[in-house]
Amino acid sequence: MQRLKLFTWCLFLLVGCGQIAVEPKPAPPESITSDDYDVAVVSVDFDPALQGSRLPISDKYAVLVALENRGLLTAYNVKVNARLRRTSDDILILSGSRSVNELAPGQIVVVRIEPEGAIPANADVYSLIVRAEPLSQETLTSNNTREFTIRVEP
């Protein structure tokens, strides 16, 4: 079964930056068992879209998160967070969240997260973590998070 690979996330203002490289970290292996509750971040993309492994320079960005219910029961009130931290000092630069009211078994939805804010235009390295908050009875949570390294270069 092919999985829909879509994406979602945050709004930044980038002024005076040269290049922005995006490096995904490895995704966790897929589970072969089904639990009653299993919400997974299937993939993450950006708007505007990546050009290879680089974000085009823009004054606004959004993160698009493909969220799938791999469980056997309907999931309610699923919260998705996106956080951008500077890796050198772990300072939170941007964050945003959205909630999905209802996600049926097998359903995939794309969540668009657009927090307001700005990334400093100087060269630096950031960590983007996109996470679906675990449901109260969810046991498999390794597929709830995707991480990226974002490098702003002159």
mmCIF file of all heavy atoms in Angstrom, residues 7-12 39-41 43-46 63-67 77-85 92 94-100 111-115 127-135 143-148:
data_model
loop_
_atom_site.group_PDB
_atom_site.id
_atom_site.type_symbol
_atom_site.label_atom_id
_atom_site.label_comp_id
_atom_site.label_asym_id
_atom_site.label_seq_id
_atom_site.Cartn_x
_atom_site.Cartn_y
_atom_site.Cartn_z
ATOM 1 N N PHE A 7 3.289 17.040 3.264
ATOM 2 C CA PHE A 7 4.028 17.690 4.331
ATOM 3 C C PHE A 7 3.344 18.959 4.867
ATOM 4 O O PHE A 7 2.491 19.473 4.214
ATOM 5 C CB PHE A 7 5.404 18.088 3.827
ATOM 6 C CG PHE A 7 6.010 17.090 2.908
ATOM 7 C CD1 PHE A 7 5.765 17.132 1.571
ATOM 8 C CD2 PHE A 7 6.831 16.095 3.396
ATOM 9 C CE1 PHE A 7 6.330 16.229 0.719
ATOM 10 C CE2 PHE A 7 7.403 15.191 2.545
ATOM 11 C CZ PHE A 7 7.144 15.264 1.221
ATOM 12 N N THR A 8 3.917 19.539 6.074
ATOM 13 C CA THR A 8 3.378 20.806 6.604
ATOM 14 C C THR A 8 4.254 21.499 7.623
ATOM 15 O O THR A 8 4.807 20.835 8.423
ATOM 16 C CB THR A 8 2.023 20.558 7.266
ATOM 17 O OG1 THR A 8 1.108 20.262 6.279
ATOM 18 C CG2 THR A 8 1.512 21.739 8.026
ATOM 19 N N TRP A 9 4.268 22.895 7.625
ATOM 20 C CA TRP A 9 4.842 23.630 8.776
ATOM 21 C C TRP A 9 4.973 25.106 8.717
ATOM 22 O O TRP A 9 4.357 25.776 7.991
ATOM 23 C CB TRP A 9 6.128 23.003 9.237
ATOM 24 C CG TRP A 9 6.575 23.537 10.524
ATOM 25 C CD1 TRP A 9 6.015 23.392 11.737
ATOM 26 C CD2 TRP A 9 7.727 24.329 10.726
ATOM 27 N NE1 TRP A 9 6.739 24.010 12.672
ATOM 28 C CE2 TRP A 9 7.799 24.602 12.084
ATOM 29 C CE3 TRP A 9 8.695 24.849 9.890
ATOM 30 C CZ2 TRP A 9 8.806 25.327 12.630
ATOM 31 C CZ3 TRP A 9 9.689 25.565 10.446
ATOM 32 C CH2 TRP A 9 9.741 25.797 11.802
ATOM 33 N N CYS A 10 5.826 25.743 9.314
ATOM 34 C CA CYS A 10 5.841 27.044 9.945
ATOM 35 C C CYS A 10 6.142 28.233 9.070
ATOM 36 O O CYS A 10 6.677 28.114 8.015
ATOM 37 C CB CYS A 10 6.690 26.967 11.178
ATOM 38 S SG CYS A 10 8.368 27.369 11.159
ATOM 39 N N LEU A 11 5.774 29.387 9.574
ATOM 40 C CA LEU A 11 5.932 30.642 8.857
ATOM 41 C C LEU A 11 7.126 31.386 9.414
ATOM 42 O O LEU A 11 7.177 31.688 10.568
ATOM 43 C CB LEU A 11 4.651 31.464 9.051
ATOM 44 C CG LEU A 11 4.677 32.921 8.684
ATOM 45 C CD1 LEU A 11 4.693 33.060 7.174
ATOM 46 C CD2 LEU A 11 3.466 33.575 9.258
ATOM 47 N N PHE A 12 8.127 31.651 8.573
ATOM 48 C CA PHE A 12 9.302 32.405 9.001
ATOM 49 C C PHE A 12 9.421 33.630 8.124
ATOM 50 O O PHE A 12 8.990 33.641 7.003
ATOM 51 C CB PHE A 12 10.623 31.646 8.785
ATOM 52 C CG PHE A 12 10.667 30.228 9.123
ATOM 53 C CD1 PHE A 12 11.344 29.344 8.315
ATOM 54 C CD2 PHE A 12 10.070 29.740 10.264
ATOM 55 C CE1 PHE A 12 11.448 28.032 8.638
ATOM 56 C CE2 PHE A 12 10.157 28.425 10.581
ATOM 57 C CZ PHE A 12 10.849 27.563 9.761
ATOM 58 N N VAL A 39 -1.206 7.293 15.840
ATOM 59 C CA VAL A 39 -1.167 8.456 14.954
ATOM 60 C C VAL A 39 0.285 8.657 14.527
ATOM 61 O O VAL A 39 1.184 8.616 15.367
ATOM 62 C CB VAL A 39 -1.708 9.712 15.666
ATOM 63 C CG1 VAL A 39 -1.559 10.935 14.788
ATOM 64 C CG2 VAL A 39 -3.165 9.500 16.034
ATOM 65 N N ALA A 40 0.519 8.835 13.228
ATOM 66 C CA ALA A 40 1.888 8.947 12.714
ATOM 67 C C ALA A 40 2.055 10.207 11.873
ATOM 68 O O ALA A 40 1.164 10.576 11.105
ATOM 69 C CB ALA A 40 2.224 7.729 11.864
ATOM 70 N N VAL A 41 3.219 10.851 12.027
ATOM 71 C CA VAL A 41 3.619 11.922 11.118
ATOM 72 C C VAL A 41 4.247 11.216 9.924
ATOM 73 O O VAL A 41 5.349 10.675 10.021
ATOM 74 C CB VAL A 41 4.614 12.899 11.776
ATOM 75 C CG1 VAL A 41 5.137 13.901 10.762
ATOM 76 C CG2 VAL A 41 3.964 13.612 12.950
ATOM 77 N N SER A 43 4.924 12.481 6.763
ATOM 78 C CA SER A 43 5.954 13.270 6.106
ATOM 79 C C SER A 43 5.736 14.749 6.380
ATOM 80 O O SER A 43 4.695 15.159 6.873
ATOM 81 C CB SER A 43 5.990 12.985 4.610
ATOM 82 O OG SER A 43 4.765 13.330 4.031
ATOM 83 N N VAL A 44 6.765 15.519 6.048
ATOM 84 C CA VAL A 44 6.743 16.962 6.253
ATOM 85 C C VAL A 44 7.254 17.628 4.989
ATOM 86 O O VAL A 44 8.213 17.159 4.381
ATOM 87 C CB VAL A 44 7.626 17.363 7.462
ATOM 88 C CG1 VAL A 44 7.676 18.865 7.637
ATOM 89 C CG2 VAL A 44 7.140 16.682 8.733
ATOM 90 N N ASP A 45 6.607 18.710 4.591
ATOM 91 C CA ASP A 45 7.057 19.481 3.430
ATOM 92 C C ASP A 45 6.949 20.949 3.786
ATOM 93 O O ASP A 45 6.475 21.309 4.858
ATOM 94 C CB ASP A 45 6.197 19.163 2.206
ATOM 95 C CG ASP A 45 6.870 19.557 0.899
ATOM 96 O OD1 ASP A 45 8.000 20.088 0.929
ATOM 97 O OD2 ASP A 45 6.263 19.348 -0.160
ATOM 98 N N PHE A 46 7.372 21.773 2.868
ATOM 99 C CA PHE A 46 7.414 23.204 3.113
ATOM 100 C C PHE A 46 6.699 23.939 1.993
ATOM 101 O O PHE A 46 6.625 23.469 0.870
ATOM 102 C CB PHE A 46 8.869 23.676 3.206
ATOM 103 C CG PHE A 46 9.634 22.977 4.284
ATOM 104 C CD1 PHE A 46 10.280 21.776 4.039
ATOM 105 C CD2 PHE A 46 9.691 23.501 5.563
ATOM 106 C CE1 PHE A 46 10.970 21.112 5.034
ATOM 107 C CE2 PHE A 46 10.373 22.855 6.568
ATOM 108 C CZ PHE A 46 11.011 21.659 6.302
ATOM 109 N N VAL A 63 4.870 25.023 7.170
ATOM 110 C CA VAL A 63 5.215 23.609 7.256
ATOM 111 C C VAL A 63 3.926 22.824 7.075
ATOM 112 O O VAL A 63 2.918 23.098 7.718
ATOM 113 C CB VAL A 63 5.876 23.286 8.610
ATOM 114 C CG1 VAL A 63 6.122 21.791 8.728
ATOM 115 C CG2 VAL A 63 7.173 24.040 8.736
ATOM 116 N N LEU A 64 3.977 21.842 6.189
ATOM 117 C CA LEU A 64 2.829 21.003 5.884
ATOM 118 C C LEU A 64 3.105 19.606 6.436
ATOM 119 O O LEU A 64 4.097 18.986 6.066
ATOM 120 C CB LEU A 64 2.604 20.937 4.375
ATOM 121 C CG LEU A 64 2.577 22.289 3.667
ATOM 122 C CD1 LEU A 64 2.563 22.108 2.154
ATOM 123 C CD2 LEU A 64 1.406 23.116 4.124
ATOM 124 N N VAL A 65 2.236 19.139 7.308
ATOM 125 C CA VAL A 65 2.443 17.848 7.972
ATOM 126 C C VAL A 65 1.373 16.871 7.511
ATOM 127 O O VAL A 65 0.181 17.147 7.657
ATOM 128 C CB VAL A 65 2.370 17.998 9.513
ATOM 129 C CG1 VAL A 65 2.580 16.653 10.192
ATOM 130 C CG2 VAL A 65 3.376 19.013 10.005
ATOM 131 N N ALA A 66 1.804 15.734 6.940
ATOM 132 C CA ALA A 66 0.877 14.657 6.592
ATOM 133 C C ALA A 66 0.748 13.769 7.827
ATOM 134 O O ALA A 66 1.725 13.197 8.302
ATOM 135 C CB ALA A 66 1.382 13.863 5.407
ATOM 136 N N LEU A 67 -0.454 13.698 8.340
ATOM 137 C CA LEU A 67 -0.750 12.969 9.573
ATOM 138 C C LEU A 67 -1.673 11.802 9.229
ATOM 139 O O LEU A 67 -2.689 11.997 8.558
ATOM 140 C CB LEU A 67 -1.437 13.929 10.546
ATOM 141 C CG LEU A 67 -1.673 13.491 11.961
ATOM 142 C CD1 LEU A 67 -0.346 13.266 12.675
ATOM 143 C CD2 LEU A 67 -2.489 14.542 12.692
ATOM 144 N N ASN A 77 -9.119 14.931 18.568
ATOM 145 C CA ASN A 77 -8.336 16.037 19.136
ATOM 146 C C ASN A 77 -6.825 15.767 19.107
ATOM 147 O O ASN A 77 -6.152 15.803 20.135
ATOM 148 C CB ASN A 77 -8.797 16.356 20.553
ATOM 149 C CG ASN A 77 -10.271 16.698 20.575
ATOM 150 O OD1 ASN A 77 -10.745 17.442 19.737
ATOM 151 N ND2 ASN A 77 -10.991 16.144 21.538
ATOM 152 N N VAL A 78 -6.306 15.511 17.915
ATOM 153 C CA VAL A 78 -4.880 15.252 17.739
ATOM 154 C C VAL A 78 -4.177 16.595 17.552
ATOM 155 O O VAL A 78 -4.501 17.356 16.644
ATOM 156 C CB VAL A 78 -4.626 14.351 16.518
ATOM 157 C CG1 VAL A 78 -3.136 14.092 16.345
ATOM 158 C CG2 VAL A 78 -5.403 13.049 16.644
ATOM 159 N N LYS A 79 -3.218 16.882 18.422
ATOM 160 C CA LYS A 79 -2.481 18.152 18.351
ATOM 161 C C LYS A 79 -1.136 17.913 17.668
ATOM 162 O O LYS A 79 -0.415 16.980 18.031
ATOM 163 C CB LYS A 79 -2.274 18.723 19.750
ATOM 164 C CG LYS A 79 -1.660 20.107 19.734
ATOM 165 C CD LYS A 79 -1.613 20.710 21.122
ATOM 166 C CE LYS A 79 -1.018 22.102 21.076
ATOM 167 N NZ LYS A 79 -0.956 22.710 22.401
ATOM 168 N N VAL A 80 -0.806 18.775 16.695
ATOM 169 C CA VAL A 80 0.455 18.695 15.969
ATOM 170 C C VAL A 80 1.247 19.968 16.258
ATOM 171 O O VAL A 80 0.722 21.075 16.115
ATOM 172 C CB VAL A 80 0.221 18.546 14.448
ATOM 173 C CG1 VAL A 80 1.543 18.404 13.713
ATOM 174 C CG2 VAL A 80 -0.685 17.370 14.157
ATOM 175 N N ASN A 81 2.507 19.804 16.687
ATOM 176 C CA ASN A 81 3.375 20.935 17.019
ATOM 177 C C ASN A 81 4.558 20.980 16.070
ATOM 178 O O ASN A 81 5.059 19.935 15.642
ATOM 179 C CB ASN A 81 3.944 20.783 18.436
ATOM 180 C CG ASN A 81 2.872 20.719 19.476
ATOM 181 O OD1 ASN A 81 2.015 21.586 19.539
ATOM 182 N ND2 ASN A 81 2.898 19.674 20.284
ATOM 183 N N ALA A 82 5.035 22.179 15.807
ATOM 184 C CA ALA A 82 6.276 22.378 15.063
ATOM 185 C C ALA A 82 7.103 23.382 15.852
ATOM 186 O O ALA A 82 6.608 24.450 16.229
ATOM 187 C CB ALA A 82 5.986 22.903 13.662
ATOM 188 N N ARG A 83 8.363 23.013 16.115
ATOM 189 C CA ARG A 83 9.249 23.887 16.896
ATOM 190 C C ARG A 83 10.587 24.003 16.192
ATOM 191 O O ARG A 83 11.176 22.994 15.808
ATOM 192 C CB ARG A 83 9.445 23.333 18.298
ATOM 193 C CG ARG A 83 8.202 23.459 19.149
ATOM 194 C CD ARG A 83 8.467 23.026 20.585
ATOM 195 N NE ARG A 83 7.365 23.371 21.461
ATOM 196 C CZ ARG A 83 6.224 22.726 21.533
ATOM 197 N NH1 ARG A 83 6.003 21.695 20.762
ATOM 198 N NH2 ARG A 83 5.281 23.116 22.376
ATOM 199 N N LEU A 84 11.056 25.221 16.083
ATOM 200 C CA LEU A 84 12.358 25.494 15.486
ATOM 201 C C LEU A 84 13.259 26.050 16.576
ATOM 202 O O LEU A 84 12.946 27.068 17.193
ATOM 203 C CB LEU A 84 12.230 26.508 14.340
ATOM 204 C CG LEU A 84 13.521 26.770 13.580
ATOM 205 C CD1 LEU A 84 13.853 25.583 12.679
ATOM 206 C CD2 LEU A 84 13.399 28.037 12.749
ATOM 207 N N ARG A 85 14.377 25.349 16.839
ATOM 208 C CA ARG A 85 15.329 25.765 17.872
ATOM 209 C C ARG A 85 16.699 25.972 17.246
ATOM 210 O O ARG A 85 17.084 25.223 16.363
ATOM 211 C CB ARG A 85 15.461 24.699 18.963
ATOM 212 C CG ARG A 85 14.217 24.518 19.779
ATOM 213 C CD ARG A 85 14.464 23.514 20.916
ATOM 214 N NE ARG A 85 13.332 23.455 21.804
ATOM 215 C CZ ARG A 85 13.121 24.283 22.814
ATOM 216 N NH1 ARG A 85 13.974 25.236 23.079
ATOM 217 N NH2 ARG A 85 12.052 24.166 23.578
ATOM 218 N N LEU A 92 14.454 28.466 21.636
ATOM 219 C CA LEU A 92 13.278 28.331 20.782
ATOM 220 C C LEU A 92 13.132 29.594 19.948
ATOM 221 O O LEU A 92 13.024 30.694 20.481
ATOM 222 C CB LEU A 92 12.023 28.107 21.629
ATOM 223 C CG LEU A 92 10.723 27.911 20.869
ATOM 224 C CD1 LEU A 92 10.766 26.631 20.047
ATOM 225 C CD2 LEU A 92 9.559 27.873 21.842
ATOM 226 N N LEU A 94 10.948 29.658 16.824
ATOM 227 C CA LEU A 94 9.562 29.687 16.357
ATOM 228 C C LEU A 94 8.827 28.445 16.824
ATOM 229 O O LEU A 94 9.431 27.379 16.957
ATOM 230 C CB LEU A 94 9.513 29.716 14.827
ATOM 231 C CG LEU A 94 10.025 30.952 14.129
ATOM 232 C CD1 LEU A 94 10.111 30.700 12.635
ATOM 233 C CD2 LEU A 94 9.127 32.127 14.409
ATOM 234 N N SER A 95 7.536 28.581 17.020
ATOM 235 C CA SER A 95 6.719 27.408 17.317
ATOM 236 C C SER A 95 5.294 27.674 16.858
ATOM 237 O O SER A 95 4.870 28.822 16.750
ATOM 238 C CB SER A 95 6.753 27.059 18.802
ATOM 239 O OG SER A 95 6.120 28.068 19.554
ATOM 240 N N GLY A 96 4.599 26.609 16.578
ATOM 241 C CA GLY A 96 3.203 26.704 16.178
ATOM 242 C C GLY A 96 2.538 25.358 16.340
ATOM 243 O O GLY A 96 3.216 24.330 16.429
ATOM 244 N N SER A 97 1.230 25.353 16.397
ATOM 245 C CA SER A 97 0.506 24.090 16.526
ATOM 246 C C SER A 97 -0.870 24.206 15.880
ATOM 247 O O SER A 97 -1.397 25.300 15.702
ATOM 248 C CB SER A 97 0.386 23.684 17.993
ATOM 249 O OG SER A 97 -0.405 24.614 18.696
ATOM 250 N N ARG A 98 -1.404 23.063 15.547
ATOM 251 C CA ARG A 98 -2.757 22.936 15.010
ATOM 252 C C ARG A 98 -3.354 21.666 15.582
ATOM 253 O O ARG A 98 -2.631 20.744 15.951
ATOM 254 C CB ARG A 98 -2.749 22.824 13.480
ATOM 255 C CG ARG A 98 -2.252 24.027 12.726
ATOM 256 C CD ARG A 98 -3.174 25.230 12.817
ATOM 257 N NE ARG A 98 -4.446 25.064 12.165
ATOM 258 C CZ ARG A 98 -4.745 25.504 10.957
ATOM 259 N NH1 ARG A 98 -3.841 26.143 10.261
ATOM 260 N NH2 ARG A 98 -5.936 25.324 10.443
ATOM 261 N N SER A 99 -4.665 21.615 15.617
ATOM 262 C CA SER A 99 -5.352 20.419 16.096
ATOM 263 C C SER A 99 -6.244 19.857 15.005
ATOM 264 O O SER A 99 -6.808 20.604 14.199
ATOM 265 C CB SER A 99 -6.208 20.735 17.323
ATOM 266 O OG SER A 99 -5.384 21.050 18.410
ATOM 267 N N VAL A 100 -6.347 18.540 15.001
ATOM 268 C CA VAL A 100 -7.251 17.827 14.100
ATOM 269 C C VAL A 100 -8.353 17.264 14.979
ATOM 270 O O VAL A 100 -8.072 16.501 15.912
ATOM 271 C CB VAL A 100 -6.515 16.704 13.345
ATOM 272 C CG1 VAL A 100 -7.485 15.896 12.494
ATOM 273 C CG2 VAL A 100 -5.386 17.271 12.503
ATOM 274 N N VAL A 111 -1.905 18.947 7.596
ATOM 275 C CA VAL A 111 -2.077 20.034 8.540
ATOM 276 C C VAL A 111 -1.077 21.124 8.187
ATOM 277 O O VAL A 111 0.107 20.850 8.001
ATOM 278 C CB VAL A 111 -1.830 19.531 9.987
ATOM 279 C CG1 VAL A 111 -2.009 20.654 10.983
ATOM 280 C CG2 VAL A 111 -2.748 18.364 10.305
ATOM 281 N N ARG A 112 -1.559 22.347 8.078
ATOM 282 C CA ARG A 112 -0.705 23.485 7.739
ATOM 283 C C ARG A 112 -0.451 24.304 9.005
ATOM 284 O O ARG A 112 -1.394 24.782 9.627
ATOM 285 C CB ARG A 112 -1.382 24.335 6.670
ATOM 286 C CG ARG A 112 -0.553 25.496 6.201
ATOM 287 C CD ARG A 112 -1.317 26.303 5.133
ATOM 288 N NE ARG A 112 -0.478 27.323 4.585
ATOM 289 C CZ ARG A 112 0.260 27.193 3.492
ATOM 290 N NH1 ARG A 112 0.248 26.061 2.828
ATOM 291 N NH2 ARG A 112 1.013 28.181 3.064
ATOM 292 N N ILE A 113 0.816 24.449 9.356
ATOM 293 C CA ILE A 113 1.184 25.209 10.548
ATOM 294 C C ILE A 113 1.937 26.449 10.097
ATOM 295 O O ILE A 113 2.926 26.353 9.381
ATOM 296 C CB ILE A 113 2.039 24.363 11.505
ATOM 297 C CG1 ILE A 113 1.280 23.098 11.900
ATOM 298 C CG2 ILE A 113 2.419 25.184 12.734
ATOM 299 C CD1 ILE A 113 2.073 22.147 12.764
ATOM 300 N N GLU A 114 1.448 27.615 10.532
ATOM 301 C CA GLU A 114 2.020 28.899 10.114
ATOM 302 C C GLU A 114 2.242 29.832 11.304
ATOM 303 O O GLU A 114 1.548 30.828 11.436
ATOM 304 C CB GLU A 114 1.102 29.580 9.108
ATOM 305 C CG GLU A 114 0.906 28.830 7.833
ATOM 306 C CD GLU A 114 -0.001 29.576 6.864
ATOM 307 O OE1 GLU A 114 -0.809 30.415 7.299
ATOM 308 O OE2 GLU A 114 0.109 29.310 5.671
ATOM 309 N N PRO A 115 3.217 29.549 12.144
ATOM 310 C CA PRO A 115 3.477 30.503 13.224
ATOM 311 C C PRO A 115 4.122 31.764 12.673
ATOM 312 O O PRO A 115 4.801 31.722 11.653
ATOM 313 C CB PRO A 115 4.431 29.760 14.154
ATOM 314 C CG PRO A 115 5.076 28.747 13.287
ATOM 315 C CD PRO A 115 4.084 28.396 12.222
ATOM 316 N N SER A 127 17.230 23.265 14.465
ATOM 317 C CA SER A 127 16.590 21.962 14.509
ATOM 318 C C SER A 127 15.084 22.168 14.449
ATOM 319 O O SER A 127 14.524 22.892 15.277
ATOM 320 C CB SER A 127 16.970 21.244 15.797
ATOM 321 O OG SER A 127 16.245 20.041 15.915
ATOM 322 N N LEU A 128 14.443 21.552 13.466
ATOM 323 C CA LEU A 128 12.993 21.607 13.335
ATOM 324 C C LEU A 128 12.438 20.260 13.783
ATOM 325 O O LEU A 128 12.822 19.214 13.257
ATOM 326 C CB LEU A 128 12.581 21.877 11.886
ATOM 327 C CG LEU A 128 11.100 21.719 11.579
ATOM 328 C CD1 LEU A 128 10.270 22.725 12.361
ATOM 329 C CD2 LEU A 128 10.854 21.867 10.092
ATOM 330 N N ILE A 129 11.555 20.284 14.778
ATOM 331 C CA ILE A 129 10.911 19.064 15.258
ATOM 332 C C ILE A 129 9.413 19.214 15.060
ATOM 333 O O ILE A 129 8.804 20.168 15.545
ATOM 334 C CB ILE A 129 11.240 18.795 16.737
ATOM 335 C CG1 ILE A 129 12.754 18.607 16.901
ATOM 336 C CG2 ILE A 129 10.473 17.574 17.245
ATOM 337 C CD1 ILE A 129 13.207 18.454 18.331
ATOM 338 N N VAL A 130 8.842 18.269 14.317
ATOM 339 C CA VAL A 130 7.401 18.230 14.073
ATOM 340 C C VAL A 130 6.878 17.006 14.811
ATOM 341 O O VAL A 130 7.390 15.894 14.636
ATOM 342 C CB VAL A 130 7.096 18.141 12.566
ATOM 343 C CG1 VAL A 130 5.603 18.044 12.330
ATOM 344 C CG2 VAL A 130 7.692 19.329 11.830
ATOM 345 N N ARG A 131 5.871 17.213 15.661
ATOM 346 C CA ARG A 131 5.412 16.127 16.527
ATOM 347 C C ARG A 131 3.891 16.123 16.655
ATOM 348 O O ARG A 131 3.280 17.158 16.912
ATOM 349 C CB ARG A 131 6.041 16.302 17.906
ATOM 350 C CG ARG A 131 5.599 15.302 18.945
ATOM 351 C CD ARG A 131 6.349 15.560 20.253
ATOM 352 N NE ARG A 131 5.834 14.789 21.357
ATOM 353 C CZ ARG A 131 6.153 13.541 21.618
ATOM 354 N NH1 ARG A 131 6.977 12.909 20.826
ATOM 355 N NH2 ARG A 131 5.640 12.920 22.652
ATOM 356 N N ALA A 132 3.323 14.942 16.507
ATOM 357 C CA ALA A 132 1.916 14.721 16.848
ATOM 358 C C ALA A 132 1.906 14.271 18.309
ATOM 359 O O ALA A 132 2.558 13.272 18.652
ATOM 360 C CB ALA A 132 1.303 13.662 15.951
ATOM 361 N N GLU A 133 1.229 15.013 19.161
ATOM 362 C CA GLU A 133 1.185 14.654 20.576
ATOM 363 C C GLU A 133 0.535 13.269 20.722
ATOM 364 O O GLU A 133 -0.510 13.005 20.119
ATOM 365 C CB GLU A 133 0.392 15.690 21.368
ATOM 366 C CG GLU A 133 1.063 17.046 21.425
ATOM 367 C CD GLU A 133 2.412 17.009 22.121
ATOM 368 O OE1 GLU A 133 2.564 16.273 23.117
ATOM 369 O OE2 GLU A 133 3.320 17.720 21.658
ATOM 370 N N PRO A 134 1.150 12.378 21.505
ATOM 371 C CA PRO A 134 0.583 11.030 21.671
ATOM 372 C C PRO A 134 -0.818 11.076 22.284
ATOM 373 O O PRO A 134 -1.094 11.894 23.160
ATOM 374 C CB PRO A 134 1.563 10.342 22.625
ATOM 375 C CG PRO A 134 2.832 11.117 22.509
ATOM 376 C CD PRO A 134 2.413 12.541 22.218
ATOM 377 N N LEU A 135 -1.664 10.190 21.812
ATOM 378 C CA LEU A 135 -2.997 10.047 22.396
ATOM 379 C C LEU A 135 -2.857 9.332 23.740
ATOM 380 O O LEU A 135 -1.870 8.632 23.978
ATOM 381 C CB LEU A 135 -3.890 9.251 21.453
ATOM 382 C CG LEU A 135 -4.047 9.849 20.046
ATOM 383 C CD1 LEU A 135 -4.767 8.875 19.132
ATOM 384 C CD2 LEU A 135 -4.774 11.173 20.123
ATOM 385 N N ASN A 143 6.684 6.897 15.822
ATOM 386 C CA ASN A 143 6.343 7.470 14.513
ATOM 387 C C ASN A 143 5.585 8.801 14.645
ATOM 388 O O ASN A 143 5.077 9.323 13.666
ATOM 389 C CB ASN A 143 5.533 6.480 13.677
ATOM 390 C CG ASN A 143 4.247 6.043 14.358
ATOM 391 O OD1 ASN A 143 3.851 6.585 15.389
ATOM 392 N ND2 ASN A 143 3.586 5.056 13.780
ATOM 393 N N ASN A 144 5.555 9.363 15.832
ATOM 394 C CA ASN A 144 4.857 10.632 16.055
ATOM 395 C C ASN A 144 5.726 11.848 15.766
ATOM 396 O O ASN A 144 5.231 12.967 15.781
ATOM 397 C CB ASN A 144 4.371 10.728 17.511
ATOM 398 C CG ASN A 144 3.223 9.803 17.810
ATOM 399 O OD1 ASN A 144 3.191 8.682 17.339
ATOM 400 N ND2 ASN A 144 2.288 10.254 18.611
ATOM 401 N N THR A 145 7.016 11.658 15.554
ATOM 402 C CA THR A 145 7.947 12.782 15.439
ATOM 403 C C THR A 145 8.811 12.659 14.185
ATOM 404 O O THR A 145 9.249 11.564 13.838
ATOM 405 C CB THR A 145 8.875 12.825 16.676
ATOM 406 O OG1 THR A 145 8.066 12.898 17.850
ATOM 407 C CG2 THR A 145 9.807 14.017 16.631
ATOM 408 N N ARG A 146 9.040 13.802 13.525
ATOM 409 C CA ARG A 146 10.019 13.903 12.429
ATOM 410 C C ARG A 146 10.917 15.086 12.743
ATOM 411 O O ARG A 146 10.455 16.115 13.228
ATOM 412 C CB ARG A 146 9.320 14.135 11.080
ATOM 413 C CG ARG A 146 8.431 12.996 10.608
ATOM 414 C CD ARG A 146 9.161 11.696 10.284
ATOM 415 N NE ARG A 146 10.102 11.802 9.208
ATOM 416 C CZ ARG A 146 9.840 11.521 7.935
ATOM 417 N NH1 ARG A 146 8.649 11.128 7.587
ATOM 418 N NH2 ARG A 146 10.775 11.645 7.033
ATOM 419 N N GLU A 147 12.220 14.926 12.447
ATOM 420 C CA GLU A 147 13.193 15.974 12.743
ATOM 421 C C GLU A 147 13.975 16.354 11.499
ATOM 422 O O GLU A 147 14.240 15.525 10.633
ATOM 423 C CB GLU A 147 14.167 15.505 13.825
ATOM 424 C CG GLU A 147 13.515 15.254 15.155
ATOM 425 C CD GLU A 147 14.514 14.875 16.229
ATOM 426 O OE1 GLU A 147 15.602 15.498 16.269
ATOM 427 O OE2 GLU A 147 14.225 13.954 17.003
ATOM 428 N N PHE A 148 14.368 17.637 11.451
ATOM 429 C CA PHE A 148 15.137 18.185 10.331
ATOM 430 C C PHE A 148 16.221 19.108 10.860
ATOM 431 O O PHE A 148 16.030 19.779 11.883
ATOM 432 C CB PHE A 148 14.232 19.001 9.395
ATOM 433 C CG PHE A 148 13.141 18.196 8.762
ATOM 434 C CD1 PHE A 148 11.957 17.967 9.451
ATOM 435 C CD2 PHE A 148 13.289 17.659 7.503
ATOM 436 C CE1 PHE A 148 10.949 17.212 8.886
ATOM 437 C CE2 PHE A 148 12.281 16.898 6.936
ATOM 438 C CZ PHE A 148 11.112 16.680 7.629
#
